[in-house]
Amino acid sequence: MKPLTPLTTKGGAVIVNHKEGFMAKGKILVVDDSMLNRVFCKDILMEDGYEVMIASTGIDALEMIEQDGFDLVVTDLVLPDINGDEVLKR
């Protein structure tokens, strides 16, 4: 599967969508301050048919969670602003 290009950038968050007309298995938010980890997770999940959004900080993740519904949030526990546990609790 050819990697898809991000459509929108909001601060540290990148929104990545599937091809038009494609029905995703579910919507997942990946939160990690390491770009390598975010891209690695995004690529694997997208190859398996999921719609994936990524964030680099806990604050960005909380804003995205408030705006969009997610079926799953995958987060690093050590983030630069608030930790992953706090993101999941909120």
Side-chain angles (χ1 to χ4, degrees), residues 8-24:
T8 307
T9 303
K10 295 181 182 177
V14 179
I15 300 170
V16 184
N17 292 319
H18 286 284
K19 296 177 185 174
E20 189 174 326
F22 180 82
M23 179 60 88

Side-chain angles (χ1 to χ4, degrees), residues 6 8-9 12-13 18 21 25-29 37 43 46 49 53 57-58 61-62 64-66 75 78 80-81 90:
T8 307
T9 303
H18 286 284
K25 288 182 176 180
K27 190 172 182 180
I28 299 175
L29 175 61
N37 291 344
D43 289 347
M46 287 181 66
M53 297 175 74
T57 68
L62 290 174
M64 294 171 73
I65 291 166
E66 190 173 305
T75 183
V78 181
D81 49 4
R90 292 186 187 183

Side-chain angles (χ1 to χ4, degrees), residues 16-64:
V16 184
N17 292 319
H18 286 284
K19 296 177 185 174
E20 189 174 326
F22 180 82
M23 179 60 88
K25 288 182 176 180
K27 190 172 182 180
I28 299 175
L29 175 61
V30 174
V31 188
D32 200 309
D33 56 332
S34 164
M35 180 181 281
L36 181 64
N37 291 344
R38 287 192 311 268
V39 171
F40 179 73
C41 289
K42 173 191 66 81
D43 289 347
I44 288 173
L45 293 167
M46 287 181 66
E47 280 183 20
D48 202 32
Y50 294 95
E51 179 180 354
V52 180
M53 297 175 74
I54 57 177
S56 60
T57 68
I59 298 296
D60 286 343
L62 290 174
E63 290 174 4
M64 294 171 73

